[in-house]
Amino acid sequence: MKYVDGFVVAVPANNKEAYREMAAKAAPLFKEFGALRIVECWADDVPDGKLTDFRLAVKAEENEEVVFSWIEYPSREVRDEANRKMMSDPRMKEFGESMPFDGKRMIYGGFSPLLDE
């Protein structure tokens, strides 16, 4: 069964291209580590909620947009091994030093699919 890592981040609107470039450079590394698919989505129709919403979840500021992304793996075991490899790979360290967003406000987690059609 597949396994999915999901992410939500707030990215300054003027960093959209820098974020896209970073994601494009990182995708081949994730695939090298075992990912099957990487999807990065820029907010297009993200309404404000009354109690909570995507923007509130990442404490997005007025000049920021929400990015929703996920990485699919063949299994949790492959994902766990990929994470171990990423933590020790110097190429990943470079990404951590030059992220075009505030990584402290990133929301992430691993998920087992319930439905995949």
Side-chain angles (χ1 to χ4, degrees):
M1 169 112 122
K2 288 184 183 174
Y3 197 77
V4 177
D5 273 348
F7 307 87
V8 181
V9 297
V11 179
N14 60 355
N15 284 355
K16 182 178 183 179
E17 184 57 23
Y19 184 90
R20 191 202 61 75
E21 288 174 7
M22 179 204 67
K25 287 178 185 173
L29 295 177
F30 284 106
K31 287 190 173 184
E32 178 183 322
F33 297 139
L36 300 172
R37 182 174 180 220
I38 297 98
V39 180
E40 299 280 353
C41 305
W42 192 263
D44 181 53
D45 183 20
V46 179
D48 292 336
K50 292 185 180 187
L51 296 177
T52 191
D53 59 41
F54 278 104
R55 295 186 60 78
L56 289 170
V58 292
K59 297 183 179 180
E61 297 173 3
E62 191 173 314
N63 67 333
E64 294 178 320
E65 293 297 339
V66 174
V67 171
F68 172 63
S69 59
W70 68 91
I71 303 172
E72 296 176 10
Y73 292 94
S75 66
R76 180 169 180 182
E77 293 76 23
V78 171
R79 188 284 302 246
D80 290 348
E81 182 61 25
N83 282 344
R84 280 190 282 282
K85 289 176 183 176
M86 281 184 255
M87 292 301 153
S88 63
D89 192 299
R91 296 171 295 176
M92 294 304 294
K93 186 179 181 205
E94 289 176 31
F95 287 112
E97 294 171 352
S98 62
M99 291 189 300
F101 62 93
D102 180 1
K104 293 180 201 130
R105 292 184 284 142
M106 176 172 41
I107 296 172
Y108 60 91
F111 299 86
S112 296
L114 291 175
L115 177 68
D116 186 355
E117 290 192 38

